[in-house]
PDB file of all heavy atoms in Angstrom:
ATOM      1  N   ALA A 237       3.599 -11.050   5.069  1.00 97.00           N
ATOM      2  CA  ALA A 237       4.059 -12.380   4.643  1.00 97.00           C
ATOM      3  C   ALA A 237       3.888 -12.576   3.198  1.00 97.00           C
ATOM      4  O   ALA A 237       3.027 -12.068   2.662  1.00 97.00           O
ATOM      5  CB  ALA A 237       3.280 -13.443   5.549  1.00 97.00           C
ATOM      6  N   PRO A 238       4.689 -13.449   2.610  1.00 92.00           N
ATOM      7  CA  PRO A 238       4.492 -13.778   1.165  1.00 92.00           C
ATOM      8  C   PRO A 238       3.116 -14.157   0.769  1.00 92.00           C
ATOM      9  O   PRO A 238       2.467 -15.043   1.500  1.00 92.00           O
ATOM     10  CB  PRO A 238       5.517 -14.873   0.894  1.00 92.00           C
ATOM     11  CG  PRO A 238       6.518 -14.779   1.963  1.00 92.00           C
ATOM     12  CD  PRO A 238       5.804 -14.348   3.162  1.00 92.00           C
ATOM     13  N   GLY A 239       2.557 -13.507  -0.329  1.00 94.00           N
ATOM     14  CA  GLY A 239       1.143 -13.788  -0.617  1.00 94.00           C
ATOM     15  C   GLY A 239       0.049 -13.201   0.215  1.00 94.00           C
ATOM     16  O   GLY A 239      -1.075 -13.436  -0.123  1.00 94.00           O
ATOM     17  N   LYS A 240       0.400 -12.393   1.181  1.00 96.00           N
ATOM     18  CA  LYS A 240      -0.575 -11.835   2.001  1.00 96.00           C
ATOM     19  C   LYS A 240      -0.536 -10.327   1.964  1.00 96.00           C
ATOM     20  O   LYS A 240       0.507  -9.678   1.619  1.00 96.00           O
ATOM     21  CB  LYS A 240      -0.391 -12.311   3.441  1.00 96.00           C
ATOM     22  CG  LYS A 240      -0.615 -13.788   3.597  1.00 96.00           C
ATOM     23  CD  LYS A 240      -0.551 -14.129   5.120  1.00 96.00           C
ATOM     24  CE  LYS A 240      -0.773 -15.617   5.334  1.00 96.00           C
ATOM     25  NZ  LYS A 240      -0.645 -16.002   6.839  1.00 96.00           N
ATOM     26  N   GLU A 241      -1.599  -9.718   2.337  1.00 95.00           N
ATOM     27  CA  GLU A 241      -1.691  -8.231   2.366  1.00 95.00           C
ATOM     28  C   GLU A 241      -0.860  -7.725   3.609  1.00 95.00           C
ATOM     29  O   GLU A 241      -0.710  -8.449   4.664  1.00 95.00           O
ATOM     30  CB  GLU A 241      -3.180  -7.705   2.566  1.00 95.00           C
ATOM     31  CG  GLU A 241      -4.080  -8.144   1.441  1.00 95.00           C
ATOM     32  CD  GLU A 241      -3.749  -7.347   0.132  1.00 95.00           C
ATOM     33  OE1 GLU A 241      -3.266  -6.154   0.218  1.00 95.00           O
ATOM     34  OE2 GLU A 241      -3.893  -7.911  -0.981  1.00 95.00           O
ATOM     35  N   ARG A 242      -0.329  -6.488   3.453  1.00 95.00           N
ATOM     36  CA  ARG A 242       0.323  -5.814   4.552  1.00 95.00           C
ATOM     37  C   ARG A 242      -0.770  -5.535   5.689  1.00 95.00           C
ATOM     38  O   ARG A 242      -1.843  -5.079   5.497  1.00 95.00           O
ATOM     39  CB  ARG A 242       0.929  -4.517   4.118  1.00 95.00           C
ATOM     40  CG  ARG A 242       1.857  -3.932   5.152  1.00 95.00           C
ATOM     41  CD  ARG A 242       2.795  -2.822   4.668  1.00 95.00           C
ATOM     42  NE  ARG A 242       3.766  -3.294   3.654  1.00 95.00           N
ATOM     43  CZ  ARG A 242       4.714  -2.666   3.298  1.00 95.00           C
ATOM     44  NH1 ARG A 242       4.901  -1.422   3.594  1.00 95.00           N
ATOM     45  NH2 ARG A 242       5.556  -3.214   2.292  1.00 95.00           N
ATOM     46  N   GLU A 243      -0.371  -5.880   6.888  1.00 95.00           N
ATOM     47  CA  GLU A 243      -1.218  -5.811   8.074  1.00 95.00           C
ATOM     48  C   GLU A 243      -0.724  -4.957   9.160  1.00 95.00           C
ATOM     49  O   GLU A 243       0.493  -5.046   9.544  1.00 95.00           O
ATOM     50  CB  GLU A 243      -1.457  -7.242   8.600  1.00 95.00           C
ATOM     51  CG  GLU A 243      -2.247  -7.384   9.888  1.00 95.00           C
ATOM     52  CD  GLU A 243      -2.180  -8.712  10.549  1.00 95.00           C
ATOM     53  OE1 GLU A 243      -1.158  -9.394  10.336  1.00 95.00           O
ATOM     54  OE2 GLU A 243      -3.233  -9.163  10.995  1.00 95.00           O
ATOM     55  N   LEU A 244      -1.579  -4.040   9.702  1.00 97.00           N
ATOM     56  CA  LEU A 244      -1.143  -3.297  10.875  1.00 97.00           C
ATOM     57  C   LEU A 244      -1.132  -4.268  12.140  1.00 97.00           C
ATOM     58  O   LEU A 244      -2.133  -4.895  12.381  1.00 97.00           O
ATOM     59  CB  LEU A 244      -2.228  -2.219  11.107  1.00 97.00           C
ATOM     60  CG  LEU A 244      -1.988  -1.382  12.357  1.00 97.00           C
ATOM     61  CD1 LEU A 244      -0.615  -0.506  12.233  1.00 97.00           C
ATOM     62  CD2 LEU A 244      -3.214  -0.389  12.636  1.00 97.00           C
ATOM     63  N   VAL A 245      -0.011  -4.205  12.759  1.00 98.00           N
ATOM     64  CA  VAL A 245       0.155  -5.081  13.976  1.00 98.00           C
ATOM     65  C   VAL A 245      -0.238  -4.206  15.216  1.00 98.00           C
ATOM     66  O   VAL A 245      -0.986  -4.685  16.121  1.00 98.00           O
ATOM     67  CB  VAL A 245       1.579  -5.557  14.148  1.00 98.00           C
ATOM     68  CG1 VAL A 245       1.761  -6.332  15.476  1.00 98.00           C
ATOM     69  CG2 VAL A 245       1.923  -6.403  12.909  1.00 98.00           C
ATOM     70  N   GLY A 246       0.239  -2.980  15.294  1.00 98.00           N
ATOM     71  CA  GLY A 246      -0.059  -2.205  16.404  1.00 98.00           C
ATOM     72  C   GLY A 246       0.380  -0.748  16.151  1.00 98.00           C
ATOM     73  O   GLY A 246       1.123  -0.449  15.135  1.00 98.00           O
ATOM     74  N   ALA A 247      -0.029   0.236  17.030  1.00 98.00           N
ATOM     75  CA  ALA A 247       0.295   1.649  16.819  1.00 98.00           C
ATOM     76  C   ALA A 247       0.389   2.225  18.251  1.00 98.00           C
ATOM     77  O   ALA A 247      -0.232   1.844  19.163  1.00 98.00           O
ATOM     78  CB  ALA A 247      -0.679   2.416  15.909  1.00 98.00           C
ATOM     79  N   ILE A 248       1.179   3.388  18.295  1.00 98.00           N
ATOM     80  CA  ILE A 248       1.307   4.043  19.537  1.00 98.00           C
ATOM     81  C   ILE A 248       1.225   5.641  19.398  1.00 98.00           C
ATOM     82  O   ILE A 248       1.763   6.089  18.405  1.00 98.00           O
ATOM     83  CB  ILE A 248       2.627   3.662  20.273  1.00 98.00           C
ATOM     84  CG1 ILE A 248       2.796   4.270  21.603  1.00 98.00           C
ATOM     85  CG2 ILE A 248       3.816   4.040  19.394  1.00 98.00           C
ATOM     86  CD1 ILE A 248       3.864   3.598  22.505  1.00 98.00           C
ATOM     87  N   SER A 249       0.589   6.268  20.232  1.00 97.00           N
ATOM     88  CA  SER A 249       0.309   7.715  20.200  1.00 97.00           C
ATOM     89  C   SER A 249       1.578   8.526  20.543  1.00 97.00           C
ATOM     90  O   SER A 249       2.583   7.957  20.841  1.00 97.00           O
ATOM     91  CB  SER A 249      -0.910   8.180  20.987  1.00 97.00           C
ATOM     92  OG  SER A 249      -0.575   7.824  22.445  1.00 97.00           O
ATOM     93  N   TRP A 250       1.338   9.779  20.319  1.00 96.00           N
ATOM     94  CA  TRP A 250       2.550  10.697  20.341  1.00 96.00           C
ATOM     95  C   TRP A 250       3.508  10.513  21.486  1.00 96.00           C
ATOM     96  O   TRP A 250       4.747  10.579  21.414  1.00 96.00           O
ATOM     97  CB  TRP A 250       2.061  12.070  20.169  1.00 96.00           C
ATOM     98  CG  TRP A 250       1.020  12.376  19.130  1.00 96.00           C
ATOM     99  CD1 TRP A 250       1.313  12.451  17.834  1.00 96.00           C
ATOM    100  CD2 TRP A 250      -0.452  12.571  19.362  1.00 96.00           C
ATOM    101  NE1 TRP A 250       0.089  12.518  17.200  1.00 96.00           N
ATOM    102  CE2 TRP A 250      -0.885  12.655  18.152  1.00 96.00           C
ATOM    103  CE3 TRP A 250      -1.151  12.575  20.628  1.00 96.00           C
ATOM    104  CZ2 TRP A 250      -2.388  12.897  18.056  1.00 96.00           C
ATOM    105  CZ3 TRP A 250      -2.480  12.743  20.400  1.00 96.00           C
ATOM    106  CH2 TRP A 250      -3.077  12.889  19.110  1.00 96.00           C
ATOM    107  N   SER A 251       2.929  10.414  22.693  1.00 95.00           N
ATOM    108  CA  SER A 251       3.754  10.340  24.042  1.00 95.00           C
ATOM    109  C   SER A 251       3.566   8.890  24.560  1.00 95.00           C
ATOM    110  O   SER A 251       3.984   8.703  25.692  1.00 95.00           O
ATOM    111  CB  SER A 251       3.409  11.416  24.899  1.00 95.00           C
ATOM    112  OG  SER A 251       3.674  12.626  24.448  1.00 95.00           O
ATOM    113  N   GLY A 252       3.014   8.010  23.900  1.00 96.00           N
ATOM    114  CA  GLY A 252       2.920   6.677  24.394  1.00 96.00           C
ATOM    115  C   GLY A 252       1.667   6.388  25.256  1.00 96.00           C
ATOM    116  O   GLY A 252       1.545   5.338  25.795  1.00 96.00           O
ATOM    117  N   GLY A 253       0.764   7.342  25.370  1.00 95.00           N
ATOM    118  CA  GLY A 253      -0.365   7.177  26.290  1.00 95.00           C
ATOM    119  C   GLY A 253      -1.406   6.182  25.777  1.00 95.00           C
ATOM    120  O   GLY A 253      -2.186   5.691  26.604  1.00 95.00           O
ATOM    121  N   ARG A 254      -1.578   6.035  24.554  1.00 97.00           N
ATOM    122  CA  ARG A 254      -2.475   5.084  23.917  1.00 97.00           C
ATOM    123  C   ARG A 254      -1.859   4.116  22.897  1.00 97.00           C
ATOM    124  O   ARG A 254      -0.965   4.528  22.160  1.00 97.00           O
ATOM    125  CB  ARG A 254      -3.634   5.881  23.242  1.00 97.00           C
ATOM    126  CG  ARG A 254      -4.451   6.746  24.152  1.00 97.00           C
ATOM    127  CD  ARG A 254      -5.758   7.206  23.428  1.00 97.00           C
ATOM    128  NE  ARG A 254      -6.595   6.158  22.972  1.00 97.00           N
ATOM    129  CZ  ARG A 254      -7.653   6.366  22.282  1.00 97.00           C
ATOM    130  NH1 ARG A 254      -8.080   7.595  21.944  1.00 97.00           N
ATOM    131  NH2 ARG A 254      -8.443   5.289  21.975  1.00 97.00           N
ATOM    132  N   THR A 255      -2.308   2.852  22.973  1.00 98.00           N
ATOM    133  CA  THR A 255      -1.770   1.962  21.987  1.00 98.00           C
ATOM    134  C   THR A 255      -2.931   1.183  21.350  1.00 98.00           C
ATOM    135  O   THR A 255      -4.080   1.101  21.919  1.00 98.00           O
ATOM    136  CB  THR A 255      -0.909   0.900  22.705  1.00 98.00           C
ATOM    137  OG1 THR A 255      -1.390   0.416  23.883  1.00 98.00           O
ATOM    138  CG2 THR A 255       0.452   1.621  23.063  1.00 98.00           C
ATOM    139  N   TYR A 256      -2.728   0.627  20.291  1.00 97.00           N
ATOM    140  CA  TYR A 256      -3.620  -0.242  19.569  1.00 97.00           C
ATOM    141  C   TYR A 256      -2.907  -1.583  19.119  1.00 97.00           C
ATOM    142  O   TYR A 256      -1.790  -1.489  18.727  1.00 97.00           O
ATOM    143  CB  TYR A 256      -4.235   0.419  18.363  1.00 97.00           C
ATOM    144  CG  TYR A 256      -4.981  -0.487  17.360  1.00 97.00           C
ATOM    145  CD1 TYR A 256      -6.317  -0.783  17.662  1.00 97.00           C
ATOM    146  CD2 TYR A 256      -4.301  -1.087  16.312  1.00 97.00           C
ATOM    147  CE1 TYR A 256      -6.938  -1.720  16.798  1.00 97.00           C
ATOM    148  CE2 TYR A 256      -5.021  -1.975  15.486  1.00 97.00           C
ATOM    149  CZ  TYR A 256      -6.331  -2.225  15.752  1.00 97.00           C
ATOM    150  OH  TYR A 256      -6.961  -3.147  14.795  1.00 97.00           O
ATOM    151  N   TYR A 257      -3.615  -2.731  19.264  1.00 98.00           N
ATOM    152  CA  TYR A 257      -3.084  -3.920  18.788  1.00 98.00           C
ATOM    153  C   TYR A 257      -4.170  -4.769  17.987  1.00 98.00           C
ATOM    154  O   TYR A 257      -5.305  -4.754  18.310  1.00 98.00           O
ATOM    155  CB  TYR A 257      -2.620  -4.777  19.877  1.00 98.00           C
ATOM    156  CG  TYR A 257      -1.539  -4.148  20.707  1.00 98.00           C
ATOM    157  CD1 TYR A 257      -1.823  -3.456  21.905  1.00 98.00           C
ATOM    158  CD2 TYR A 257      -0.186  -4.206  20.349  1.00 98.00           C
ATOM    159  CE1 TYR A 257      -0.936  -2.898  22.683  1.00 98.00           C
ATOM    160  CE2 TYR A 257       0.787  -3.583  21.142  1.00 98.00           C
ATOM    161  CZ  TYR A 257       0.382  -3.007  22.282  1.00 98.00           C
ATOM    162  OH  TYR A 257       1.388  -2.395  23.090  1.00 98.00           O
ATOM    163  N   VAL A 258      -3.691  -5.353  16.929  1.00 97.00           N
ATOM    164  CA  VAL A 258      -4.621  -6.255  16.180  1.00 97.00           C
ATOM    165  C   VAL A 258      -4.895  -7.384  17.075  1.00 97.00           C
ATOM    166  O   VAL A 258      -4.077  -7.918  17.895  1.00 97.00           O
ATOM    167  CB  VAL A 258      -4.042  -6.692  14.868  1.00 97.00           C
ATOM    168  CG1 VAL A 258      -2.813  -7.601  15.023  1.00 97.00           C
ATOM    169  CG2 VAL A 258      -5.081  -7.409  13.961  1.00 97.00           C
ATOM    170  N   ASN A 259      -6.111  -8.027  16.979  1.00 97.00           N
ATOM    171  CA  ASN A 259      -6.531  -9.075  17.987  1.00 97.00           C
ATOM    172  C   ASN A 259      -5.591 -10.200  18.072  1.00 97.00           C
ATOM    173  O   ASN A 259      -5.396 -10.762  19.148  1.00 97.00           O
ATOM    174  CB  ASN A 259      -7.991  -9.533  17.581  1.00 97.00           C
ATOM    175  CG  ASN A 259      -8.989  -8.623  18.006  1.00 97.00           C
ATOM    176  OD1 ASN A 259      -8.881  -7.693  18.817  1.00 97.00           O
ATOM    177  ND2 ASN A 259     -10.206  -8.752  17.337  1.00 97.00           N
ATOM    178  N   SER A 260      -4.982 -10.664  16.969  1.00 97.00           N
ATOM    179  CA  SER A 260      -4.119 -11.773  16.979  1.00 97.00           C
ATOM    180  C   SER A 260      -2.829 -11.647  17.778  1.00 97.00           C
ATOM    181  O   SER A 260      -2.248 -12.631  17.997  1.00 97.00           O
ATOM    182  CB  SER A 260      -3.746 -12.139  15.482  1.00 97.00           C
ATOM    183  OG  SER A 260      -3.004 -11.076  14.914  1.00 97.00           O
ATOM    184  N   VAL A 261      -2.450 -10.440  18.108  1.00 98.00           N
ATOM    185  CA  VAL A 261      -1.252 -10.262  18.914  1.00 98.00           C
ATOM    186  C   VAL A 261      -1.507  -9.571  20.251  1.00 98.00           C
ATOM    187  O   VAL A 261      -0.568  -9.496  21.072  1.00 98.00           O
ATOM    188  CB  VAL A 261      -0.235  -9.333  18.229  1.00 98.00           C
ATOM    189  CG1 VAL A 261       0.032  -9.903  16.756  1.00 98.00           C
ATOM    190  CG2 VAL A 261      -0.693  -7.856  18.169  1.00 98.00           C
ATOM    191  N   LYS A 262      -2.770  -9.315  20.645  1.00 98.00           N
ATOM    192  CA  LYS A 262      -3.077  -8.766  21.966  1.00 98.00           C
ATOM    193  C   LYS A 262      -2.606  -9.759  23.106  1.00 98.00           C
ATOM    194  O   LYS A 262      -2.844 -10.873  22.986  1.00 98.00           O
ATOM    195  CB  LYS A 262      -4.570  -8.470  22.063  1.00 98.00           C
ATOM    196  CG  LYS A 262      -4.971  -7.286  21.384  1.00 98.00           C
ATOM    197  CD  LYS A 262      -6.506  -7.040  21.556  1.00 98.00           C
ATOM    198  CE  LYS A 262      -6.998  -5.788  20.753  1.00 98.00           C
ATOM    199  NZ  LYS A 262      -8.421  -5.577  20.936  1.00 98.00           N
ATOM    200  N   GLY A 263      -1.958  -9.131  24.063  1.00 98.00           N
ATOM    201  CA  GLY A 263      -1.414  -9.995  25.173  1.00 98.00           C
ATOM    202  C   GLY A 263      -0.144 -10.560  24.934  1.00 98.00           C
ATOM    203  O   GLY A 263       0.591 -11.133  25.841  1.00 98.00           O
ATOM    204  N   ARG A 264       0.373 -10.601  23.621  1.00 98.00           N
ATOM    205  CA  ARG A 264       1.659 -11.088  23.200  1.00 98.00           C
ATOM    206  C   ARG A 264       2.752 -10.055  22.854  1.00 98.00           C
ATOM    207  O   ARG A 264       3.951 -10.192  23.218  1.00 98.00           O
ATOM    208  CB  ARG A 264       1.571 -12.123  22.201  1.00 98.00           C
ATOM    209  CG  ARG A 264       0.636 -13.307  22.481  1.00 98.00           C
ATOM    210  CD  ARG A 264       0.750 -14.295  21.411  1.00 98.00           C
ATOM    211  NE  ARG A 264       0.302 -13.854  20.082  1.00 98.00           N
ATOM    212  CZ  ARG A 264       1.042 -13.948  19.025  1.00 98.00           C
ATOM    213  NH1 ARG A 264       2.344 -14.431  19.116  1.00 98.00           N
ATOM    214  NH2 ARG A 264       0.535 -13.447  17.877  1.00 98.00           N
ATOM    215  N   PHE A 265       2.268  -8.973  22.276  1.00 98.00           N
ATOM    216  CA  PHE A 265       3.112  -7.920  21.749  1.00 98.00           C
ATOM    217  C   PHE A 265       2.904  -6.619  22.524  1.00 98.00           C
ATOM    218  O   PHE A 265       1.761  -6.360  22.938  1.00 98.00           O
ATOM    219  CB  PHE A 265       2.918  -7.619  20.212  1.00 98.00           C
ATOM    220  CG  PHE A 265       3.210  -8.691  19.350  1.00 98.00           C
ATOM    221  CD1 PHE A 265       3.624 -10.019  19.824  1.00 98.00           C
ATOM    222  CD2 PHE A 265       3.253  -8.449  17.914  1.00 98.00           C
ATOM    223  CE1 PHE A 265       4.009 -10.918  18.826  1.00 98.00           C
ATOM    224  CE2 PHE A 265       3.575  -9.462  16.961  1.00 98.00           C
ATOM    225  CZ  PHE A 265       3.899 -10.769  17.443  1.00 98.00           C
ATOM    226  N   THR A 266       4.019  -5.814  22.743  1.00 98.00           N
ATOM    227  CA  THR A 266       3.911  -4.591  23.482  1.00 98.00           C
ATOM    228  C   THR A 266       4.776  -3.558  22.742  1.00 98.00           C
ATOM    229  O   THR A 266       5.870  -3.744  22.514  1.00 98.00           O
ATOM    230  CB  THR A 266       4.394  -4.703  24.962  1.00 98.00           C
ATOM    231  OG1 THR A 266       3.662  -5.669  25.632  1.00 98.00           O
ATOM    232  CG2 THR A 266       4.195  -3.384  25.604  1.00 98.00           C
ATOM    233  N   ILE A 267       4.001  -2.420  22.345  1.00 98.00           N
ATOM    234  CA  ILE A 267       4.759  -1.325  21.612  1.00 98.00           C
ATOM    235  C   ILE A 267       5.021  -0.173  22.683  1.00 98.00           C
ATOM    236  O   ILE A 267       4.226   0.055  23.594  1.00 98.00           O
ATOM    237  CB  ILE A 267       3.873  -0.702  20.495  1.00 98.00           C
ATOM    238  CG1 ILE A 267       3.705  -1.883  19.551  1.00 98.00           C
ATOM    239  CG2 ILE A 267       4.487   0.418  19.973  1.00 98.00           C
ATOM    240  CD1 ILE A 267       2.655  -1.541  18.398  1.00 98.00           C
ATOM    241  N   SER A 268       6.205   0.388  22.666  1.00 98.00           N
ATOM    242  CA  SER A 268       6.690   1.513  23.458  1.00 98.00           C
ATOM    243  C   SER A 268       7.409   2.544  22.567  1.00 98.00           C
ATOM    244  O   SER A 268       7.837   2.130  21.501  1.00 98.00           O
ATOM    245  CB  SER A 268       7.446   1.067  24.677  1.00 98.00           C
ATOM    246  OG  SER A 268       8.584   0.302  24.338  1.00 98.00           O
ATOM    247  N   ARG A 269       7.619   3.697  23.123  1.00 98.00           N
ATOM    248  CA  ARG A 269       8.442   4.605  22.451  1.00 98.00           C
ATOM    249  C   ARG A 269       9.287   5.432  23.408  1.00 98.00           C
ATOM    250  O   ARG A 269       8.875   5.732  24.534  1.00 98.00           O
ATOM    251  CB  ARG A 269       7.625   5.519  21.500  1.00 98.00           C
ATOM    252  CG  ARG A 269       6.652   6.481  22.262  1.00 98.00           C
ATOM    253  CD  ARG A 269       5.699   7.098  21.165  1.00 98.00           C
ATOM    254  NE  ARG A 269       6.371   7.969  20.253  1.00 98.00           N
ATOM    255  CZ  ARG A 269       5.780   8.472  19.111  1.00 98.00           C
ATOM    256  NH1 ARG A 269       4.595   8.060  18.778  1.00 98.00           N
ATOM    257  NH2 ARG A 269       6.460   9.251  18.297  1.00 98.00           N
ATOM    258  N   ASP A 270      10.381   6.005  22.888  1.00 98.00           N
ATOM    259  CA  ASP A 270      11.278   6.842  23.648  1.00 98.00           C
ATOM    260  C   ASP A 270      11.559   8.108  22.760  1.00 98.00           C
ATOM    261  O   ASP A 270      12.400   8.039  21.902  1.00 98.00           O
ATOM    262  CB  ASP A 270      12.587   6.146  24.093  1.00 98.00           C
ATOM    263  CG  ASP A 270      13.507   7.000  24.911  1.00 98.00           C
ATOM    264  OD1 ASP A 270      13.288   8.196  25.040  1.00 98.00           O
ATOM    265  OD2 ASP A 270      14.381   6.421  25.612  1.00 98.00           O
ATOM    266  N   ASN A 271      10.824   9.200  23.077  1.00 98.00           N
ATOM    267  CA  ASN A 271      10.887  10.310  22.148  1.00 98.00           C
ATOM    268  C   ASN A 271      12.264  10.991  22.261  1.00 98.00           C
ATOM    269  O   ASN A 271      12.743  11.735  21.256  1.00 98.00           O
ATOM    270  CB  ASN A 271       9.833  11.326  22.388  1.00 98.00           C
ATOM    271  CG  ASN A 271       8.437  10.822  21.912  1.00 98.00           C
ATOM    272  OD1 ASN A 271       8.341   9.877  21.099  1.00 98.00           O
ATOM    273  ND2 ASN A 271       7.439  11.455  22.304  1.00 98.00           N
ATOM    274  N   ALA A 272      12.931  10.908  23.387  1.00 97.00           N
ATOM    275  CA  ALA A 272      14.186  11.534  23.546  1.00 97.00           C
ATOM    276  C   ALA A 272      15.271  10.812  22.696  1.00 97.00           C
ATOM    277  O   ALA A 272      16.236  11.417  22.310  1.00 97.00           O
ATOM    278  CB  ALA A 272      14.655  11.459  24.973  1.00 97.00           C
ATOM    279  N   LYS A 273      15.014   9.529  22.281  1.00 98.00           N
ATOM    280  CA  LYS A 273      15.897   8.831  21.435  1.00 98.00           C
ATOM    281  C   LYS A 273      15.375   8.555  20.052  1.00 98.00           C
ATOM    282  O   LYS A 273      15.962   7.914  19.252  1.00 98.00           O
ATOM    283  CB  LYS A 273      16.304   7.350  22.053  1.00 98.00           C
ATOM    284  CG  LYS A 273      17.029   7.481  23.418  1.00 98.00           C
ATOM    285  CD  LYS A 273      17.255   6.016  23.953  1.00 98.00           C
ATOM    286  CE  LYS A 273      18.029   6.177  25.190  1.00 98.00           C
ATOM    287  NZ  LYS A 273      18.332   4.715  25.750  1.00 98.00           N
ATOM    288  N   ASN A 274      14.230   9.141  19.727  1.00 98.00           N
ATOM    289  CA  ASN A 274      13.610   9.041  18.384  1.00 98.00           C
ATOM    290  C   ASN A 274      13.467   7.504  18.039  1.00 98.00           C
ATOM    291  O   ASN A 274      13.774   7.195  16.864  1.00 98.00           O
ATOM    292  CB  ASN A 274      14.393   9.779  17.333  1.00 98.00           C
ATOM    293  CG  ASN A 274      14.154  11.265  17.514  1.00 98.00           C
ATOM    294  OD1 ASN A 274      13.455  11.787  18.328  1.00 98.00           O
ATOM    295  ND2 ASN A 274      14.748  12.085  16.631  1.00 98.00           N
ATOM    296  N   THR A 275      13.024   6.764  18.948  1.00 98.00           N
ATOM    297  CA  THR A 275      12.957   5.355  18.773  1.00 98.00           C
ATOM    298  C   THR A 275      11.625   4.712  19.288  1.00 98.00           C
ATOM    299  O   THR A 275      11.146   5.169  20.299  1.00 98.00           O
ATOM    300  CB  THR A 275      14.241   4.605  19.421  1.00 98.00           C
ATOM    301  OG1 THR A 275      15.421   5.105  18.985  1.00 98.00           O
ATOM    302  CG2 THR A 275      14.126   3.079  19.148  1.00 98.00           C
ATOM    303  N   VAL A 276      11.062   3.754  18.468  1.00 98.00           N
ATOM    304  CA  VAL A 276       9.934   3.065  18.932  1.00 98.00           C
ATOM    305  C   VAL A 276      10.267   1.545  18.850  1.00 98.00           C
ATOM    306  O   VAL A 276      11.144   1.069  18.071  1.00 98.00           O
ATOM    307  CB  VAL A 276       8.781   3.331  17.907  1.00 98.00           C
ATOM    308  CG1 VAL A 276       9.109   2.859  16.501  1.00 98.00           C
ATOM    309  CG2 VAL A 276       7.479   2.704  18.383  1.00 98.00           C
ATOM    310  N   TYR A 277       9.713   0.732  19.818  1.00 98.00           N
ATOM    311  CA  TYR A 277      10.031  -0.543  20.004  1.00 98.00           C
ATOM    312  C   TYR A 277       8.788  -1.436  19.878  1.00 98.00           C
ATOM    313  O   TYR A 277       7.643  -0.932  20.151  1.00 98.00           O
ATOM    314  CB  TYR A 277      10.652  -0.795  21.413  1.00 98.00           C
ATOM    315  CG  TYR A 277      11.790   0.105  21.767  1.00 98.00           C
ATOM    316  CD1 TYR A 277      11.578   1.316  22.423  1.00 98.00           C
ATOM    317  CD2 TYR A 277      13.070  -0.233  21.415  1.00 98.00           C
ATOM    318  CE1 TYR A 277      12.594   2.214  22.697  1.00 98.00           C
ATOM    319  CE2 TYR A 277      14.147   0.679  21.714  1.00 98.00           C
ATOM    320  CZ  TYR A 277      13.895   1.844  22.333  1.00 98.00           C
ATOM    321  OH  TYR A 277      14.986   2.675  22.671  1.00 98.00           O
ATOM    322  N   MET A 278       8.978  -2.635  19.617  1.00 98.00           N
ATOM    323  CA  MET A 278       7.896  -3.693  19.794  1.00 98.00           C
ATOM    324  C   MET A 278       8.489  -4.941  20.447  1.00 98.00           C
ATOM    325  O   MET A 278       9.252  -5.649  19.742  1.00 98.00           O
ATOM    326  CB  MET A 278       7.276  -3.961  18.447  1.00 98.00           C
ATOM    327  CG  MET A 278       5.987  -4.966  18.636  1.00 98.00           C
ATOM    328  SD  MET A 278       4.878  -4.891  17.253  1.00 98.00           S
ATOM    329  CE  MET A 278       5.885  -5.582  15.973  1.00 98.00           C
ATOM    330  N   GLN A 279       8.074  -5.320  21.692  1.00 98.00           N
ATOM    331  CA  GLN A 279       8.404  -6.457  22.265  1.00 98.00           C
ATOM    332  C   GLN A 279       7.508  -7.499  21.843  1.00 98.00           C
ATOM    333  O   GLN A 279       6.220  -7.430  21.973  1.00 98.00           O
ATOM    334  CB  GLN A 279       8.383  -6.315  23.767  1.00 98.00           C
ATOM    335  CG  GLN A 279       8.724  -7.551  24.529  1.00 98.00           C
ATOM    336  CD  GLN A 279      10.160  -7.996  24.426  1.00 98.00           C
ATOM    337  OE1 GLN A 279      11.068  -7.176  24.474  1.00 98.00           O
ATOM    338  NE2 GLN A 279      10.464  -9.264  24.408  1.00 98.00           N
ATOM    339  N   MET A 280       7.975  -8.740  21.310  1.00 98.00           N
ATOM    340  CA  MET A 280       7.150  -9.735  20.830  1.00 98.00           C
ATOM    341  C   MET A 280       7.484 -11.078  21.591  1.00 98.00           C
ATOM    342  O   MET A 280       8.613 -11.566  21.627  1.00 98.00           O
ATOM    343  CB  MET A 280       7.430 -10.060  19.317  1.00 98.00           C
ATOM    344  CG  MET A 280       7.178  -8.787  18.508  1.00 98.00           C
ATOM    345  SD  MET A 280       7.347  -9.133  16.731  1.00 98.00           S
ATOM    346  CE  MET A 280       9.059  -9.597  16.621  1.00 98.00           C
TER     347      MET A 280
END
């Protein structure tokens, strides 16, 4: 955001088996990936 540091929201491991979320978005955001499509998603 303007005037703020860049912040990690979440991350996902190579095949999607593990995820990480910053506390402020836990329970609200979900990260997933489709390696066959070379695409990563974040549902907010």
Side-chain angles (χ1 to χ4, degrees):
K240 296 184 178 179
E241 298 290 328
R242 186 167 297 189
E243 173 190 33
L244 176 67
V245 179
I248 186 166
S249 61
W250 314 284
S251 296
R254 295 189 64 183
T255 53
Y256 166 85
Y257 302 95
V258 69
N259 285 338
S260 61
V261 309
K262 285 182 179 178
R264 300 190 297 122
F265 293 8
T266 303
I267 297 172
S268 60
R269 67 191 293 165
D270 186 342
N271 288 345
K273 296 182 177 180
N274 286 1
T275 302
V276 63
Y277 308 92
M278 186 162 67
Q279 178 70 40
M280 304 186 294

